[in-house]
Amino acid sequence: MSNAAPETTLCARHLTRRFGNRQVIHDLSLELKRGEVLGLLGHNGAGKSTTLQMLTGCLLPNGVERSGCSIEICGIDLLRQPVLAKAHIGYLPETPPLYRELSVNDYLTFAARLRGMQPGAASAALVQTRQRCGLEAVGKEIIGTLSKGYQQRVGIAQAIIHSPDVIVLDEPTVGLDPSQIRDIRNLIRELGDRSSVILSTHLLGEVESVCDCVQIMQEGKLIYGGTTAALASYGGEPGHLEENFIRLTGTQQ
Amino acid sequence: MIRLLALRELRSLFAMSSTWFILAVLQFIFAWFFLARLEAFLEVQPQLAQLANPPGVTITVAAPMFNTIALLLMMLVPMFTMRLIAEERRNQTFALLLSAPLSGSHLVLGKFFGLLIFLAVLITGVPLMLYTLALGTAIDHGLLLSNMLGLLLLTASYAAVGLYISALTTQPVIAAIGALAVLVGLWLADIGAAAENSPWHFVSPLYHFQNFNAGLLDSGDAAFFVLFSAVFLLLAIRRIHNNRIYG
């Protein structure tokens, strides 16, 4: 499968986005290859979630016609052929999109079928995904009765159940306890072997432990892009990820 | 895809205990109407029998009952349509549908048919009750059939309006009040317009139901319902598309 698929799974060029008169995203370009895990860092309100919404087709960029802006998922243009392109995306928004009145099994099966899986494949994927996300014991439970950590895991499960090529996770480890965070980080690493993962986060430790590359956003612009190792030794101070991050975002203001 | 979304809508509806409660209460209210009409009919039946061509049980019991239920549905349908899109927005589940490989028309039609199936289940009690009359007397099947068809088309047009209003807002309560305002507004404009050829008659769904209620199958009325529903569904599809533009 990995031989036949194109190497670059996600390619976004010149994205801009305004809400009213406020320019939220300025000319942002991103590229992601298969097997990469990209961490999107930034302060609150830097435009991380807006960027992810655009990459998943929930929000259209401004000026699609003029500025040469494009988003390609596995070579398919998301803006012109949204239905085809979205079949390759798994997305976990900031708030997990859960139907609280459904059971975990029903909900995950719905999510799989919604992404175009056949019933047989969906039930096989359900078993596998529940095992990967540690949801074996709660399959028949109603989602609304689960704890926040379990709900977050169901949210991750719906994003990966159809084995998408591009997985977009908006703050995946919020509300989890330390051991769950470790499990989820392992899962993300594992997912990064076969697909591309983009995750936004505030936690530098998360970036350090799971991401191959980092992009830092500030006020809607990318101000730094490079590998995690490069950021850690940015400016000649190896091993100081946190200081480097604060220095980078501080000097730009 | 449409079927999948419709089934999900139904599954969510039936997973809530309030849905079952409302179903039960409404059947009780329908039965009450039915028995009240039947009692009234039995009281006047001796006098009716003296007429040369007496009206039958279908026209005296079933037709007014369908008319009352058409009015009742006007108040009820907004309570069910309010959830459709507004609640998805409020619970942030809308992102799941927006990021899924399906077009806006699939999304809207899936929700529309899901709710329509539920509403059809809700009103099946009515013809079932009326058919119990067949145990004791002959009933006019044609009149019943035209009423059932009319009621279904009327329900579809109400559901389309409610779905569109629900797509406009984030608050289910606002969606319910908005849809109720539109439907009651159309009805009041219809009954308030004195002139026979007033345009208000033409745009009111309940006015077009009257022919069905009298047992008259007019293709013009049926076409009105189909067009009326289609317009609001198209508007809802537009609104979903604009959702992606304006956020």
Side-chain angles (χ1 to χ4, degrees):
Chain A
M1 180 182 165
S2 60
N3 290 336
E7 259 303 284
T8 305
T9 49
L10 177 109
C11 176
R13 300 211 175 282
H14 307 299
L15 301 184
T16 54
R17 176 73 212 187
R18 273 186 310 277
F19 286 118
N21 288 326
R22 201 161 57 90
Q23 183 102 11
V24 183
I25 305 290
H26 301 266
D27 195 25
L28 182 140
S29 298
L30 271 180
E31 206 179 277
L32 198 60
K33 292 191 167 44
R34 185 178 295 283
E36 262 183 351
V37 180
L38 171 71
L40 204 55
L41 280 174
H43 292 301
N44 294 328
K48 301 188 295 291
S49 293
T50 309
T51 307
L52 297 186
Q53 281 175 5
M54 286 198 285
L55 294 179
T56 51
C58 292
L59 204 59
L60 289 176
N62 288 125
V64 176
E65 307 303 326
R66 286 177 280 112
S67 56
C69 114
S70 72
I71 304 173
E72 284 185 7
I73 309 285
C74 298
I76 306 166
D77 193 329
L78 178 72
L79 303 173
R80 283 177 187 78
Q81 295 176 294
V83 174
L84 280 178
K86 283 178 188 172
H88 298 280
I89 302 176
Y91 176 39
L92 169 71
E94 260 175 313
T95 318
L98 306 175
Y99 293 111
R100 301 171 58 85
E101 65 278 2
L102 295 185
S103 74
V104 173
N105 284 347
D106 285 346
Y107 172 71
L108 290 179
T109 309
F110 170 71
R113 300 270 286 116
L114 191 65
R115 270 69 167 263
M117 289 185 96
Q118 294 306 310
S123 57
L126 172 67
V127 173
Q128 197 205 1
T129 309
R130 265 171 51 198
Q131 186 243 323
R132 286 178 102 170
C133 299
L135 294 167
E136 293 105 324
V138 295
K140 291 201 170 59
E141 307 258 348
I142 302 299
I143 293 175
T145 64
L146 295 176
S147 68
K148 175 135 176 35
Y150 269 114
Q151 290 188 357
Q152 186 70 20
R153 285 197 254 173
V154 177
I156 296 173
Q158 63 79 22
I160 64 171
I161 190 164
H162 54 301
S163 320
D165 294 305
V166 179
I167 299 168
V168 181
L169 305 172
D170 201 343
E171 305 191 358
T173 53
V174 161
L176 299 181
D177 68 42
S179 79
Q180 288 170 337
I181 288 182
R182 200 180 53 198
D183 292 346
I184 293 301
R185 285 179 185 171
N186 288 339
L187 176 65
I188 293 172
R189 270 261 56 103
E190 203 181 297
L191 293 169
D193 293 340
R194 288 183 52 229
S195 316
S196 313
V197 182
I198 302 187
L199 60 102
S200 82
T201 179
H202 298 294
L203 306 172
L204 289 163
E206 194 155 290
V207 171
E208 207 165 14
S209 62
V210 301
C211 298
D212 305 309
C213 340
V214 193
Q215 302 269 11
I216 298 177
M217 283 188 79
Q218 190 168 38
E219 290 170 2
K221 297 190 196 78
L222 283 180
I223 56 167
Y224 177 86
T227 60
T228 312
L231 177 63
S233 56
Y234 181 79
E237 283 180 71
H240 291 85
L241 197 65
E242 194 174 332
E243 281 84 353
N244 288 336
F245 171 72
I246 291 167
R247 200 146 49 83
L248 263 171
T249 52
T251 51
Q252 300 285 326
Q253 274 171 342
Chain B
M1 272 304 165
I2 294 176
R3 203 177 63 132
L4 180 72
L5 286 168
L7 286 178
R8 208 284 303 161
E9 204 58 51
L10 283 174
R11 203 185 274 269
S12 285
L13 267 172
F14 284 116
M16 288 186 290
S17 50
S18 60
T19 308
W20 293 97
F21 181 71
I22 291 170
L23 264 179
V25 168
L26 285 176
Q27 297 314 312
F28 179 75
I29 293 173
F30 291 168
W32 192 283
F33 271 127
F34 170 62
L35 293 174
R37 289 301 316 180
L38 191 61
E39 194 178 14
F41 172 72
L42 290 176
E43 267 173 26
V44 296
Q45 201 190 18
Q47 287 134 42
L48 286 178
Q50 291 161 9
L51 294 176
N53 192 3
V57 68
T58 322
I59 196 99
T60 38
V61 175
M65 187 172 169
F66 273 107
N67 214 348
T68 317
I69 285 167
L71 270 177
L72 208 61
L73 279 176
M74 190 167 70
M75 323 283 170
L76 280 173
V77 172
M79 308 301 144
F80 290 105
T81 54
M82 67 176 185
R83 295 178 48 260
L84 287 175
I85 292 174
E87 192 166 87
E88 297 246 9
R89 280 219 189 88
R90 201 182 54 170
N91 292 347
Q92 321 252 349
T93 48
F94 209 40
L96 177 68
L97 300 179
L98 287 181
S99 68
L102 77 167
S103 60
S105 50
H106 283 166
L107 204 167
V108 166
L109 287 177
K111 288 194 162 287
F112 174 70
F113 284 116
L115 187 73
L116 197 56
I117 291 169
F118 171 76
L119 291 171
V121 169
L122 181 77
I123 52 179
T124 35
V126 179
L128 286 180
M129 284 174 212
L130 291 169
Y131 267 103
T132 57
L133 293 175
L135 294 174
T137 175
I139 53 174
D140 182 349
H141 294 285
L143 183 62
L144 270 184
L145 212 63
S146 102
N147 265 303
M148 281 191 275
L149 183 66
L151 195 64
L152 195 66
L153 286 169
L154 185 71
T155 311
S157 66
Y158 288 164
V161 173
L163 178 60
Y164 172 59
I165 309 267
S166 182
L168 293 177
T169 164
T170 318
Q171 294 296 331
V173 178
I174 305 281
I177 294 171
L180 194 64
V182 170
L183 294 178
V184 173
L186 281 174
W187 175 57
L188 289 179
D190 171 32
I191 58 170
E196 185 65 27
N197 56 356
S198 163
W200 288 113
H201 293 313
F202 184 73
V203 295
S204 165
L206 259 177
Y207 176 78
H208 289 270
F209 177 66
Q210 295 314 315
N211 274 343
F212 284 102
N213 195 222
L216 189 64
L217 282 180
D218 185 340
S219 56
D221 289 328
F224 166 80
F225 283 123
V226 172
L227 274 177
F228 187 88
S229 309
V231 164
F232 280 101
L233 291 179
L234 278 175
L235 284 172
I237 294 170
R238 288 284 321 156
R239 182 65 192 90
I240 303 280
H241 179 70
N242 289 348
N243 204 80
R244 293 196 169 107
I245 297 177
Y246 301 111

